[in-house]
């Protein structure tokens, strides 16, 4: 929403005249968003494997002396594949769980869904908020993420070189794969931080009358209209899904 200011008209950049910094930020955000949406599908095998593990483990038939007559999971392990063993399935569950959260961490950042302690920040002016965001990304997010990437990479390489496997003899092999996923998740966080840094930098040092999409801040004229990166919907401004009954045809009571 552009408003007329004394020093000029507020205008959003178009794709044709968008500066290189903002183009790079858009590409980084698109990639992080794409990876996050793709990784979110890991919730499906996570739920399926968890449910199957619980059902197969508990589906048993016992005789009057509480001796096991038939156990679904026991039968599958001995007659189909060791893949159906409870230990292996439980390790597969936390592999999916780790991959899911590692790969959507950056997705949450580009949509501004992470928890913020805004007791002070929310009462500051736009430029002060932008400076806090810029310094926070520069001093904390980017350096800390780089340190984590360094140690996580060494963690994954060591696992690969040692051919690390599960501590259980019937667990999963190739433990380096899930540790590499952690590295990828941290790289996505770094890319998301760089995209936010470029956007905030342009907001502070570009033409004050030019506008562009922001992931972690709201422009002064849009303040309060967004929630977690999405436009706020006022219930009073929406049409009810179910018509609200009126009292026009209601019979008077005695």
């Amino acid at each position: 929403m552009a408003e007329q200011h004394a020093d000029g008209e507020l205008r959003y950049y178009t794709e044709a005249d968008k500066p290189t910094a903002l183009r790079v930020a858009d590409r980084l955000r698109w990639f992080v968003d794409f990876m996050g949406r793709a990784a979110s599908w890991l919730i499906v095998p996570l739920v399926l494997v968890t449910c199957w593990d619980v059902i197969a483990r508990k589906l048993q038939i016992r005789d009057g002396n509480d001796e096991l007559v038939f156990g679904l999971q026991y039968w599958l392990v001995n007659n189909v594949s060791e893949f159906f063993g409870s230990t292996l399935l439980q390790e597969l569950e936390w592999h999916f769980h780790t991959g899911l959260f590692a790969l959507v961490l950056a997705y949450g950042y580009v949509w501004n869904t992470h928890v913020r302690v805004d007791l002070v920040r929310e009462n500051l002016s736009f430029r002060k908020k932008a400076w806090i965001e810029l310094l926070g990304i520069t001093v904390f997010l980017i350096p800390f993420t780089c340190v984590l990437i360094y140690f996580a990479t060494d963690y994954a390489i060591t696992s690969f070189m040692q051919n690390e496997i599960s501590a259980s003899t019937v667990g999963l092999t190739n433990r380096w794969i899930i540790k590499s996923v952690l590295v990828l998740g941290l790289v996505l966080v770094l890319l998301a931080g760089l995209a936010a840094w470029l956007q905030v930098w342009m907001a502070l040092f570009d033409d004050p009358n030019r506008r562009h999409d922001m992931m972690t801040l709201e422009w002064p004229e849009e303040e309060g209209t967004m929630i977690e990166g999405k436009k706020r919907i006022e219930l009073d401004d929406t049409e009810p899904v179910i018509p609200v009954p009126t009292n026009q045809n209601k019979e008077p009571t005695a």
Side-chain angles (χ1 to χ4, degrees), residues 26-36 184 187-188 191:
D26 288 346
R27 298 297 183 275
L28 293 176
R29 178 178 182 174
W30 177 88
F31 180 70
V32 171
D33 181 83
F34 172 80
M35 292 295 294
L184 176 59
V187 170
L188 292 175
L191 297 179

Side-chain angles (χ1 to χ4, degrees), residues 8-130:
E9 183 183 358
L10 299 181
R11 291 187 298 115
Y12 269 85
Y13 281 109
T14 64
E15 286 299 321
D17 64 353
K18 187 175 291 186
T20 302
L22 294 179
R23 292 178 183 272
V24 172
D26 288 346
R27 298 297 183 275
L28 293 176
R29 178 178 182 174
W30 177 88
F31 180 70
V32 171
D33 181 83
F34 172 80
M35 292 295 294
R37 291 177 185 273
S40 66
W41 284 96
L42 289 174
I43 192 65
V44 176
L46 172 60
V47 171
L48 292 177
V49 171
T50 303
C51 291
W52 173 257
D53 180 34
V54 174
I55 293 172
R57 184 159 20 103
K58 297 299 182 181
L59 194 60
Q60 301 175 348
I61 300 176
R62 294 180 178 272
D63 60 17
N65 297 321
D66 201 33
E67 295 292 333
L68 182 65
V69 177
F70 174 80
L72 178 59
Q73 191 166 61
Y74 180 81
W75 184 87
L76 289 171
V77 170
N78 287 278
N79 295 277
V80 180
S81 172
E82 293 183 355
F83 178 81
F84 294 99
S86 183
T87 300
L88 191 148
L89 290 177
Q90 289 179 23
E91 289 194 1
L92 192 60
E93 290 167 22
W94 72 256
H95 275 59
F96 283 131
H97 195 268
T98 301
L100 174 64
F101 280 89
L103 297 177
V104 302
L105 183 63
Y107 176 83
Y109 183 69
V110 299
W111 285 104
N112 201 30
T113 57
H114 290 302
V115 176
R116 291 176 178 264
V117 182
D118 288 340
L119 296 177
V120 177
R121 177 180 176 273
E122 283 303 298
N123 297 318
L124 300 178
S125 66
F126 172 78
R127 290 192 65 81
K128 289 180 179 179
K129 290 180 183 179

Side-chain angles (χ1 to χ4, degrees), residues 9 13-14 120 200 209 217 222 226:
E9 183 183 358
Y13 281 109
T14 64
V120 177
V200 176
N209 294 315
L217 289 172
E222 296 178 347
M226 305 289 285

Side-chain angles (χ1 to χ4, degrees), residues 215-226:
M215 298 186 300
T216 57
L217 289 172
E218 294 177 352
W219 292 105
E221 64 276 5
E222 296 178 347
E223 189 170 357
T225 63
M226 305 289 285

Side-chain angles (χ1 to χ4, degrees), residues 122-140:
E122 283 303 298
N123 297 318
L124 300 178
S125 66
F126 172 78
R127 290 192 65 81
K128 289 180 179 179
K129 290 180 183 179
W131 273 110
I132 291 176
E133 196 76 17
L134 186 70
L135 292 175
I137 296 173
T138 305
V139 178
F140 296 106

